[in-house]
């Protein structure tokens, strides 16, 4: 995991913020750790003491420890969720930029944290519970050993699916062409390392992201289906019910009641 295992958060402040294009500006050393999820725009971050810049594109999670002065270049405007962490004790931590496999899942987590912290004290147990759930999501993706055992071309295919699952025309033939191998070989190698076919993986990613969108209770069933690459609402509903045991509408309503 990127964070120290014994990280203990006293409180946090979470906010949703838009920023403008800027050639460069400096940020003095702060007294809090900062964790962000970028939804739009790209920032190039130069941290004192690190020879190479940190590039933070859309869909990325960035962490900057406290007491590290840095400068930022933003070649276009954008939006991000930012979380400032107040820790009970110092812990060793390095800055990082992490590109998760399922950005929507993490974006949903950051959005939930912002909504939870709004109007509440940052030390509220509910806010901290959402924050630690966010840590668990990041840790799960970072520490999964199978990600390091999978050949690069299969990892690249997975990444491509994770970034383009909303395209209803996404196909196995397109994935095979990108990997530079035949469809037959792609299916064989994909099943060997992922324990499923490429088609099953596409469906899995779409349903996981659909579940994340439904849990926000912000979108209709048809909007979620379209955003996740399903060109048929009935097929989406059938697949969702088959995997999760309930219909998308029941899941969405239960999420709304919990919030």
């Amino acid at each position: 995991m990127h964070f120290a295992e014994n990280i203990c958060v006293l409180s946090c402040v979470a906010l949703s913020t838009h920023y403008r294009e800027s050639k460069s500006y400096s940020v003095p050393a702060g007294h809090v750790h900062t964790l962000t999820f970028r939804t739009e725009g790209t920032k190039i971050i130069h941290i004192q003491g690190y020879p190479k810049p940190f590039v933070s594109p859309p869909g990325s999670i960035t962490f900057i420890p406290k007491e590290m002065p840095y400068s930022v270049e933003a070649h276009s405007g954008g939006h991000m969720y930012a979380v400032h962490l107040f820790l009970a004790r110092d812990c060793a931590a390095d800055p990082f930029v992490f590109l998760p496999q399922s950005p929507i899942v993490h974006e949903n987590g950051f959005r939930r944290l912002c909504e939870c912290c709004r109007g509440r004290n940052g030390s509220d147990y509910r806010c901290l519970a959402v924050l630690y759930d966010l840590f668990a999501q990041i840790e799960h993706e970072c520490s999964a050993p199978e990600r390091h055992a999978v050949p690069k071309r299969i990892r690249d295919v997975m990444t491509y699916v994770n970034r383009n699952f909303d395209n209803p025309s996404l196909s196995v033939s397109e994935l095979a062409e990108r990997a530079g191998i035949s469809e037959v070989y792609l299916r064989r190698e994909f099943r060997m390392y992922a324990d499923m076919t490429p088609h099953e993986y596409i469906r899995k990613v779409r349903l996981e992201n659909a579940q994340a969108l439904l849990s926000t209770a912000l979108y209709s069933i048809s909007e979620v289906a379209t955003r996740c690459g399903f060109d048929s609402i009935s097929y989406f509903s059938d697949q969702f019910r088959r995997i999760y045991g309930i219909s998308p509408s029941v899941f969405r309503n239960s999420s709304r009641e919990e919030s």
Side-chain angles (χ1 to χ4, degrees):
M1 184 178 181
H2 287 297
F3 302 113
E5 292 183 359
N6 62 344
I7 187 170
C8 181
V9 181
L10 283 176
S11 65
C12 65
V13 176
L15 60 150
S16 171
T17 178
H18 289 84
Y19 56 88
R20 297 179 179 180
E21 176 182 351
S22 175
K23 289 185 178 180
S24 181
Y25 62 91
S26 298
V27 180
H31 299 294
V32 295
H33 302 274
T34 302
L35 185 69
T36 65
F37 180 91
R38 202 166 311 285
T39 60
E40 301 172 13
T42 297
K43 280 190 175 183
I44 301 175
I45 305 169
H46 302 268
I47 300 178
Q48 186 174 310
Y50 289 81
K52 293 184 179 180
F54 292 81
V55 180
S56 179
S60 66
I61 296 172
T62 303
F63 177 70
I64 300 179
K66 69 175 185 178
E67 298 177 355
M68 282 194 176
Y70 59 94
S71 62
V72 177
E73 300 173 38
H75 298 292
S76 64
H79 170 265
M80 68 180 182
Y81 295 103
V83 183
H84 301 303
L85 308 172
F86 299 85
L87 304 186
R89 55 183 176 272
D90 289 335
C91 64
D94 291 317
F96 66 79
V97 175
F98 170 58
L99 288 167
Q101 286 195 348
S102 301
I104 285 183
V105 173
H106 293 276
E107 180 181 350
N108 183 46
F110 275 85
R111 183 190 298 112
R112 283 179 56 220
L113 182 58
C114 287
E115 293 172 351
C116 186
C117 289
R118 189 178 300 127
R120 289 197 180 109
N121 188 300
S123 59
D124 186 291
Y125 286 141
R126 285 165 291 186
C127 296
L128 294 179
V130 176
L131 175 65
Y132 277 105
D133 185 55
L134 203 58
F135 287 167
Q137 292 175 0
I138 297 173
E139 180 183 31
H140 175 71
E141 287 209 33
C142 290
S143 62
E146 61 271 15
R147 291 189 64 187
H148 304 288
V150 177
K152 183 179 183 302
R153 63 183 168 204
I154 299 301
R155 294 202 309 271
D156 289 346
V157 166
M158 289 178 168
T159 299
Y160 186 77
V161 172
N162 294 330
R163 301 291 183 183
N164 297 275
F165 65 89
D166 58 337
N167 180 2
S169 63
L170 185 64
S171 64
V172 177
S173 60
E174 179 184 354
L175 299 180
E177 183 177 352
R178 293 188 65 86
I181 55 179
S182 68
E183 289 185 47
V184 173
Y185 193 84
L186 175 65
R187 289 191 182 94
R188 182 186 306 140
E189 195 171 46
F190 207 94
R191 182 180 288 278
M192 179 186 303
Y193 291 101
D195 198 30
M196 65 182 74
T197 66
H199 177 74
E200 290 170 340
Y201 185 75
I202 293 173
R203 182 178 58 192
K204 172 179 177 291
V205 171
R206 284 173 171 167
L207 288 174
E208 286 177 348
N209 282 279
Q211 188 183 45
L213 290 178
L214 287 169
S215 67
T216 68
L218 297 175
Y219 307 97
S220 67
I221 305 301
S222 60
E223 286 177 319
V224 171
T226 300
R227 285 172 174 265
C228 293
F230 292 95
D231 51 13
S232 167
I233 298 177
S234 61
Y235 177 72
F236 164 61
S237 298
D238 289 343
Q239 294 299 306
F240 193 94
R241 185 182 292 107
R242 188 174 74 84
I243 297 300
Y244 298 115
I246 59 175
S247 69
S249 58
V250 171
F251 180 85
R252 181 178 182 275
N253 291 337
S254 64
S255 299
R256 178 187 297 169
E257 292 172 359
E258 291 175 1
S259 61

